[in-house]
């Protein structure tokens, strides 16, 4: 589904991704771990199409298409969803309005009619129940005045409504208490299917207790330096990132 | 910069030619005062960014053309009245149109002509207004006034091929504990140039409450200067909302004098300024006593080659302790050729005062743009959504809530015109 080869990207003069290779197939859940500043968010943003990052080498294919050719909105409509590490507050834009606009943008791309208003509300309420979100969040400004946990749940709500082929969740678990973490994990697990793939960017092994990954990768200084199954996450938890870095250098 | 010459003799003659009535002496005094000072110029601090050359030319030419006023644009009149439900008083080309003004005849409102004692304002354009005033309206709103819908003042000007100017004046007073909701709308049409000079007074007696919505949507070849002087007595409260969507050159002066303790003045404004337009909002709040609250937020969306000015002044006079004054002005610049001059001013001569102000000038938030695009929304749509959200904040907090839908629609229409202009 997603095929990243030798990806190099920078922002201004700073090289951040330095030859990153990652292959994600439908049905798989990948976890990307790594110390602060290693380039995890950069990877997520580059895949989503953020224009501040300049891709200087390598390639990214998504469902057989050259992803780097596409504008961010086209990538989203093709089925990529980025759950932001720092969701943006947009006062004056109603949460329901954004959800509906996003759903309709995708439906239009698929040649479908706009979603019926009743259908939309029903779907939104269903997904909110799964995430244990109060329906009143629909009528608030996008992320406006939301707590950290509410913002993360709101990201998962958008994901649940859009049903992407590939979801990249950037530290969706950070700052969540245990109940919120479980709710978020519920939302993610509900999306798991043989047709979809999920990339979890995370700092902690904690999330992986609730969402079991098929693969775990360690990112350091813009490269994947080690890959393994979920036992790698446990090992990291015990031994720290220094251990992988030393092993990689040896 | 030099202003076009204005023939003062022609003005004095025009004033002498007006029919003799109870205002004749006042008109002549005002004309003499005006002649002594002339039009404000860009050398005056308060007019630094607003050049009245075109207004001077229109004023000059309309003195010389002694043609009868054009017939009223009935379609525009009907359309405006249909859009906003109110007990209307229509002031067409400067005169009250009795047959269209049921608002002068509703219980709790006493209407009449302005008297000599109602007239003093020390300001050149107000002098000019009085010098050429045909008909002044006075509205006294009593405590039993409790209508189902707002009272509406509709200033409608129609021109044909002759350049014209209109001078209108209305004094509104709310008696003790009166409660009034007022809509003031300005519309105009016609091919020739036009200048409207409006002077309004709003006095709130003790405990009076007023919601006041002003909508200016003139033709883009017509200019306007409008002054509203407000006085607030003890425990009174004003919520004022101001929308400038049309017009070529627009200058609004909103002066609020807080004369009684525990008075509140809240005023918000939105100006959408496109290619060729100029909108200048000057506000001034005199906190003469405290405690009292004044709160203002103006927002502007600027596009094309245009200019907007916002100058918000708060003066906390000696002894006005417990004053709480906030001012905010935010501007969205959608083009490099748009210019904004924003200036908050605070003069504080009292203790125990809470004052805050902030102004911003900027483009759309890039982070929000990317966020929306990452949800599949196209870049032009994302821009449209964010621009509307910026303006919606003012629409949603403006007075006269039943007008929000219409206002939102008007704002949407203006922004859509701007979008179309940007794409071509
Ligand atoms: N907008 C930016 N401008 C400059 N440097 C940036 C920017 N974004 C990220 N970086 C730098 O790139 C590196 C990787 O950042 P990031 O991808 O956010 O790491 P992670 O998500 O793994 O913590 C860091 O050194 C960070 O300082
Ligand atoms: Mg990060």
């Amino acid at each position: 589904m997603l095929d990243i080869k030798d990806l190099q990207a920078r922002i201004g003069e700073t090289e951040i991704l330095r030859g990153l290779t990652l292959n994600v197939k439908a049905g798989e859940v990948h976890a990307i771990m790594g110390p602060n500043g290693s380039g995890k968010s950069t990877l997520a943003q580059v895949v989503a199409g953020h224009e501040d990052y300049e891709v200087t080498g390598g390639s990214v294919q998504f469902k057989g298409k050259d992803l780097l050719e596409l504008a961010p909105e086209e990538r989203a409509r093709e089925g990529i969803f980025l759950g932001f590490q720092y969701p943006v507050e947009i006062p004056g834009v109603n949460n329901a309005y954004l959800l509906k606009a996003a759903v309709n943008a995708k439906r239009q791309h698929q040649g479908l009619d706009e979603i019926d208003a009743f259908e939309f509300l029903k779907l939104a309420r269903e997904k909110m129940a799964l995430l244990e979100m109060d329906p009143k969040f629909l009528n608030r400004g996008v992320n406006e005045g939301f707590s950290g946990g509410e913002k993360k749940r709101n990201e998962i709500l958008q994901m649940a409504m859009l049903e992407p082929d590939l979801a990249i969740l950037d530290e969706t678990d950070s700052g969540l208490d245990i109940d919120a973490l479980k709710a978020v994990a519920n939302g993610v697990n509900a999306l798991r299917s043989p047709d979809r793939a999920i990339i979890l960017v995370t700092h902690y092994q904690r999330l992986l207790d609730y969402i079991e990954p098929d693969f775990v990768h360690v990112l350091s200084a813009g490269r994947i330096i080690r890959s393994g199954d979920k036992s790698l996450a446990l090992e990291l938890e015990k031994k720290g990132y220094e251990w992988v870095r030393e092993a990689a250098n040896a | 910069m030099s202003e076009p010459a204005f023939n003062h003799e022609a003005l004095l003659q025009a004033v002498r030619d007006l029919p003799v009535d109870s205002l004749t002496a006042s008109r002549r005094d005002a004309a003499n005062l005006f002649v002594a000072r002339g039009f404000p110029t860009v050398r005056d601090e308060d007019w630094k960014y607003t050049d009245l050359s075109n207004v001077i030319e229109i004023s000059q030419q309309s003195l010389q053309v002694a043609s009868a006023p054009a017939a009223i644009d009935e379609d525009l009149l009907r359309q405006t009245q249909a859009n906003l439900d109110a007990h209307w008083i229509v002031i067409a080309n400067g005169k009250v149109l009795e047959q269209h003004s049921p608002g002068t005849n509703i219980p709790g409102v006493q209407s009449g002509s302005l008297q000599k004692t109602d007239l003093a304002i020390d300001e050149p354009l107000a002098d000019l207004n009085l010098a050429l005033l045909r008909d002044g309206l006075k509205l006294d709103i009593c405590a039993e006034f409790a209508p189902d819908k707002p009272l509406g003042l509709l200033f409608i000007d129609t021109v044909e091929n002759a350049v014209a100017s209109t001078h209108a004046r209305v004094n509104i007073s709310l008696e003790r504990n009166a409660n009034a909701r007022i809509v003031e709308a300005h519309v105009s049409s016609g091919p020739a140039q036009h200048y409207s000079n409006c002077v309004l007074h709003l006095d709130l007696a003790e405990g009076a409450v007023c919601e006041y919505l002003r909508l200016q949507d003139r033709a883009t070849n017509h200019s306007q200067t409008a002054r509203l002087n407000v006085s607030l007595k003890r425990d009174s409260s004003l919520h004022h909302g101001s929308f400038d969507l049309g017009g070529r050159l627009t200058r609004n002066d909103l002066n609020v004098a807080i004369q009684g303790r525990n008075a509140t003045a809240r005023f918000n404004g939105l100006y959408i300024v496109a290619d060729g337009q100029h909108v200048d909002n000057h506000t001034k709040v005199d906190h003469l006593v405290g405690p009292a609250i004044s709160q203002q937020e103006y927002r502007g969306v600027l596009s094309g080659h245009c200019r907007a000015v916002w100058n918000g002044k708060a003066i906390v006079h000696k002894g006005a302790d417990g004053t709480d004054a906030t001012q905010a002005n935010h501007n969205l610049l959608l083009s490099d050729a748009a210019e904004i001059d924003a200036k908050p001013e605070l003069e504080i001569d009292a203790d125990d005062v809470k004052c805050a102000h902030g102004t911003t000038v900027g483009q759309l938030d890039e982070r929000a743009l990317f966020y929306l695009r990452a949800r599949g929304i196209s870049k032009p749509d994302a821009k449209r959504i964010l621009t509307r959200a910026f303006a919606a904040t003012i629409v949603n907090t403006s007075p006269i809530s039943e007008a929000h839908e219409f206002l939102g629609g008007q704002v949407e229409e203006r922004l859509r015109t701007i979008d179309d202009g940007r794409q071509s």
Side-chain angles (χ1 to χ4, degrees):
Chain A
M1 178 169 295
L2 182 72
D3 194 15
I4 303 177
K5 285 208 180 86
D6 194 29
L7 184 64
Q8 292 147 54
R10 66 177 181 193
I11 188 156
E13 294 300 299
T14 321
E15 299 278 345
I16 307 178
L17 301 182
R18 305 156 189 254
L20 185 144
T21 296
L22 176 68
N23 192 285
V24 178
K25 295 196 174 60
E28 295 176 351
V29 175
H30 290 242
I32 295 182
M33 306 183 75
N36 266 333
S38 57
K40 303 184 297 295
S41 291
T42 301
L43 172 63
Q45 300 269 334
V46 167
V47 172
H50 200 296
E51 285 155 354
D52 284 355
Y53 300 91
E54 187 192 348
V55 174
T56 53
S59 67
V60 183
Q61 300 261 317
F62 177 64
K63 298 195 294 190
K65 286 190 182 142
D66 180 357
L67 196 65
L68 300 177
E69 287 286 298
L70 302 181
E73 55 270 34
E74 293 168 324
R75 301 182 194 199
R77 294 174 203 157
E78 282 289 333
I80 289 183
F81 178 89
L82 169 61
F84 283 65
Q85 180 173 4
Y86 304 108
V88 183
E89 296 199 18
I90 317 183
V93 177
N94 176 292
N95 222 6
Y97 179 89
L98 168 61
L99 283 174
K100 208 186 236 172
V103 167
N104 283 332
K106 185 165 181 181
R107 288 177 67 97
Q108 192 187 22
H109 182 70
Q110 294 168 329
L112 299 172
D113 284 344
E114 290 203 346
I115 189 165
D116 167 80
F118 180 76
E119 196 66 21
F120 168 79
L121 261 185
K122 194 172 144 237
L123 193 66
R125 292 235 169 86
E126 225 169 76
K127 305 291 187 191
M128 291 178 102
L130 175 73
L131 295 167
E132 293 164 27
M133 273 177 91
D134 190 324
K136 74 173 194 283
F137 278 99
L138 277 180
N139 298 319
R140 296 202 14 202
V142 175
N143 296 319
E144 189 183 359
F146 288 20
S147 72
E150 287 164 352
K151 284 181 182 167
K152 296 301 173 75
R153 277 190 218 223
N154 205 31
E155 294 292 289
I156 300 300
L157 171 65
Q158 294 173 15
M159 178 190 79
M161 293 293 289
L162 288 167
E163 304 189 320
D165 296 325
L166 172 67
I168 306 169
L169 303 178
D170 191 358
E171 305 225 12
T172 301
D173 53 331
S174 55
L176 296 187
D177 61 30
I178 194 73
D179 290 335
L181 188 70
K182 280 182 187 163
V184 161
N186 271 341
V188 176
N189 286 326
L191 193 79
R192 280 184 90 152
S193 98
D195 307 324
R196 300 210 174 92
I198 295 164
I199 299 175
L200 301 169
V201 173
T202 179
H203 235 56
Y204 311 101
Q205 120 82 22
R206 186 174 79 138
L207 177 69
L208 308 180
D209 290 339
Y210 299 96
I211 310 170
E212 250 188 68
D214 303 299
F215 301 94
V216 174
H217 310 277
V218 179
L219 191 60
S220 172
R223 272 192 209 100
I224 288 178
I225 54 167
R226 186 160 180 149
S227 296
D229 61 15
K230 66 173 182 181
S231 63
L232 177 57
L234 290 167
E235 214 166 343
L236 277 172
E237 182 95 333
K238 260 185 262 148
K239 302 186 184 165
Y241 290 115
E242 269 318 298
W243 157 77
V244 217
R245 255 188 288 211
E246 277 159 24
N249 290 338
Chain B
M1 198 179 312
S2 78
E3 293 73 29
F6 182 70
N7 185 341
H8 287 141
E9 195 41 52
L11 171 68
L12 294 171
Q13 187 57 47
V15 174
R16 280 193 292 271
D17 289 346
L18 287 172
V20 174
D21 60 22
S22 66
L23 292 181
T24 296
S26 306
R27 285 192 196 101
R28 291 184 182 170
D29 290 348
N32 287 327
L33 273 176
F34 178 78
V35 165
R37 285 194 285 194
F39 278 96
T41 76
V42 291
R43 289 178 299 280
D44 295 311
E45 188 57 32
D46 276 350
W47 290 88
K48 202 167 161 185
Y49 303 110
T50 296
D51 178 0
L52 289 176
S53 295
N54 182 247
V55 162
I56 296 172
E57 273 167 33
I58 298 171
S59 300
Q60 180 75 70
Q61 289 176 35
S62 56
L63 283 179
Q64 285 152 354
V65 186
S67 62
I72 277 308
D73 181 342
E74 299 270 350
D75 287 344
L76 182 59
L77 175 66
R78 262 194 302 274
Q79 196 192 329
T80 310
Q81 292 186 322
N83 287 332
L84 285 164
D85 197 16
H87 294 287
W88 288 107
I89 296 171
V90 175
I91 299 174
N93 292 340
K95 289 191 75 103
V96 176
L97 275 191
E98 294 296 345
Q99 76 272 30
H100 287 287
S101 299
T104 53
N105 258 322
I106 47 174
V109 178
Q110 276 173 16
S111 68
S113 291
L114 284 182
Q115 302 304 312
K116 218 169 163 172
T117 47
D118 303 323
L119 301 168
I121 296 181
D122 180 27
E123 198 269 330
L125 295 178
D127 289 336
L128 180 66
N129 170 285
L130 177 52
L132 294 169
L133 187 70
R134 282 157 189 274
D135 211 2
L137 180 66
K138 191 172 165 172
L139 297 170
D140 292 319
I141 298 176
C142 316
E144 53 271 29
F145 177 67
D148 46 333
K149 50 193 179 187
L151 189 62
L153 285 171
L154 174 54
F155 296 88
I156 178 166
D157 292 298
T158 314
V159 287
E160 283 160 0
N161 294 314
V163 171
S165 55
T166 307
H167 300 269
R169 196 181 270 240
V170 181
N171 285 13
I172 306 169
S173 48
L174 271 66
E175 71 167 37
R176 208 179 156 133
N177 297 327
N179 195 321
R181 299 159 73 242
I182 300 169
V183 176
E184 172 194 329
H186 298 263
V187 295
S188 71
S189 66
Q193 296 197 76
H194 185 270
Y195 164 53
S196 153
N197 179 2
C198 266
V199 175
L200 286 99
H201 261 282
L202 178 64
D203 294 316
L204 269 62
E206 288 182 11
V209 176
C210 185
E211 276 188 57
Y212 198 110
L213 177 66
R214 189 187 66 83
L215 172 65
Q216 181 275 113
D217 196 8
R218 289 185 176 269
T220 51
N221 55 336
H222 295 169
S223 295
Q224 170 169 25
T225 61
R227 161 173 298 275
L228 173 61
N229 281 11
V230 181
S231 71
L232 299 179
K233 297 291 189 312
R234 190 177 174 138
D235 297 323
S236 66
S237 143
L238 170 72
H239 182 192
H240 185 276
S242 168
F243 289 79
D244 284 291
L245 305 178
R248 174 178 172 178
L249 177 149
T250 304
R251 162 67 180 242
N252 300 309
D253 280 275
L254 174 57
N255 284 16
V256 179
I258 296 186
Q259 300 170 342
R261 291 159 54 90
N262 296 319
T264 304
R266 227 180 110 202
F267 43 107
N268 293 349
L270 177 69
Y271 41 92
I272 299 180
V273 194
D275 216 30
Q277 291 184 296
H278 179 109
V279 175
D280 177 348
N281 275 291
H282 265 65
T283 68
K284 181 174 155 217
V285 183
D286 280 286
H287 281 270
L288 299 160
V289 293
I293 299 172
S294 74
Q295 232 177 42
Q296 69 164 307
E297 177 169 350
Y298 276 70
R299 289 190 172 206
V301 179
L302 282 68
S303 74
H305 190 90
C306 74
R307 189 169 199 168
V309 182
W310 175 82
N311 188 293
K313 195 185 275 187
I315 305 172
V316 185
H317 293 257
K318 205 169 158 74
D321 297 341
T323 288
D324 182 346
T326 56
Q327 305 162 287
N329 174 238
H330 303 293
N331 298 281
L332 195 55
L333 264 60
L334 300 177
S335 97
D336 293 338
E339 196 177 323
I340 171 79
D341 298 287
K343 187 175 168 196
E345 288 183 75
L346 271 174
E347 289 171 26
I348 302 176
D349 200 13
D351 308 315
D352 180 27
V353 164
K354 218 171 90 192
C355 289
H357 61 76
T359 62
T360 60
V361 174
Q363 277 77 42
L364 292 169
D365 178 0
E366 288 293 335
R367 289 165 55 248
L369 264 181
F370 179 64
Y371 189 78
L372 294 178
R373 294 178 74 193
R375 297 297 175 252
I377 295 166
S378 73
K379 193 173 178 179
D381 280 345
K383 286 186 170 177
R384 275 194 275 275
I385 290 170
L386 293 178
T387 308
R388 278 146 188 76
F390 176 84
T393 313
I394 297 296
V395 175
N396 296 337
T397 55
S398 70
I400 319 278
S401 56
E402 66 265 41
H404 288 184
E405 198 181 327
F406 169 67
L407 281 175
Q410 292 296 99
V411 167
E412 170 61 29
E413 202 178 299
R414 287 293 293 142
L415 293 176
R416 201 159 41 215
T417 318
I418 288 173
D419 291 338
D420 294 348
R422 271 148 56 86
Q423 265 150 29
S424 58

